[in-house]
Amino acid sequence: FSAGPDAGIRCWKMDPATMQFGLVGVLQGHTAAVQNVQVAGTTLYSCARDNTIKVWDLSTGQGVTSVTTVHTEFMMGLRLYDVYLFSAGLDGKVVVYDTTKNLQHVFTHTVTNRDRAPSPVTAVEIATDSAGKALLIVSCSDNAIKLWEVPNFERRGILLGHTQPCRALCPGPGNSIFSAGMDQSIKVWEFE
């Protein structure tokens, strides 16, 4: 899947004979640039700059539901954990939805900076620590990477090391995570 400023989500399939990807369809329904997608089985979740999250049935290519979020700035990412979908945005909010209840809003957590003001979120990821506990990891415009245990939002720490905001987070092997920053660095962090 790929998405971008044309508000469409392109679906691609690899042809094993040619080892080339071919376009098989476009999911349309957003009215602004699509920021992120997440797949769970035959369901795709997408968030866009129109502040909506859409749910798609990949077996039919049809939209199932659409939710206007409480975000007041662009959403930067989506992540799934168990039955929960997390959205994170430049308004400093992480919003939790229940995927079993038509994306019912469950909880909003405001990420703050040192001055207790909302800290714009630039990337979001879910990973596990060495004990197998799920962690919500967000990078912020204040260059910090902040961690909470989910689903209870117990604070787990702050990672400092980037000199500019991080724009991508990715789980690594074991209990590690990679962060890629606008400071042109990739850092590897390991959880205890």
Side-chain angles (χ1 to χ4, degrees), residues 82-93:
D82 194 24
V83 299
Y84 300 106
L85 180 69
F86 294 80
S87 65
L90 293 176
D91 56 4
K93 293 177 186 164

Side-chain angles (χ1 to χ4, degrees), residues 44-109:
L44 181 136
Y45 300 89
S46 59
C47 69
R49 290 185 177 186
D50 58 11
N51 279 337
T52 63
I53 295 174
K54 296 196 179 299
V55 181
W56 308 87
D57 182 337
L58 295 177
S59 62
T60 65
Q62 298 298 307
V64 175
T65 192
S66 180
V67 174
T68 300
T69 70
V70 297
H71 288 285
T72 56
E73 298 288 338
F74 294 149
M75 284 180 282
M76 297 302 286
L78 291 175
R79 285 299 176 266
L80 286 162
Y81 169 72
D82 194 24
V83 299
Y84 300 106
L85 180 69
F86 294 80
S87 65
L90 293 176
D91 56 4
K93 293 177 186 164
V94 175
V95 183
V96 185
Y97 310 88
D98 187 332
T99 62
T100 66
K101 296 181 179 174
N102 212 25
L103 293 187
Q104 179 181 352
H105 178 241
V106 176
F107 182 73
T108 299
H109 176 78

Side-chain angles (χ1 to χ4, degrees), residues 93-157:
K93 293 177 186 164
V94 175
V95 183
V96 185
Y97 310 88
D98 187 332
T99 62
T100 66
K101 296 181 179 174
N102 212 25
L103 293 187
Q104 179 181 352
H105 178 241
V106 176
F107 182 73
T108 299
H109 176 78
T110 301
V111 179
T112 57
N113 60 21
R114 290 181 198 147
D115 299 324
R116 303 256 185 243
S119 186
V121 176
T122 57
V124 60
E125 189 56 78
I126 301 281
T128 55
D129 65 11
S130 60
K133 293 182 180 177
L135 300 176
L136 174 71
I137 305 162
V138 299
S139 60
C140 298
S141 64
D142 62 2
N143 307 337
I145 299 171
K146 300 166 185 178
L147 298 84
W148 293 271
E149 206 170 290
V150 291
N152 62 11
F153 277 89
E154 180 182 321
R155 187 175 169 167
R156 289 291 301 272

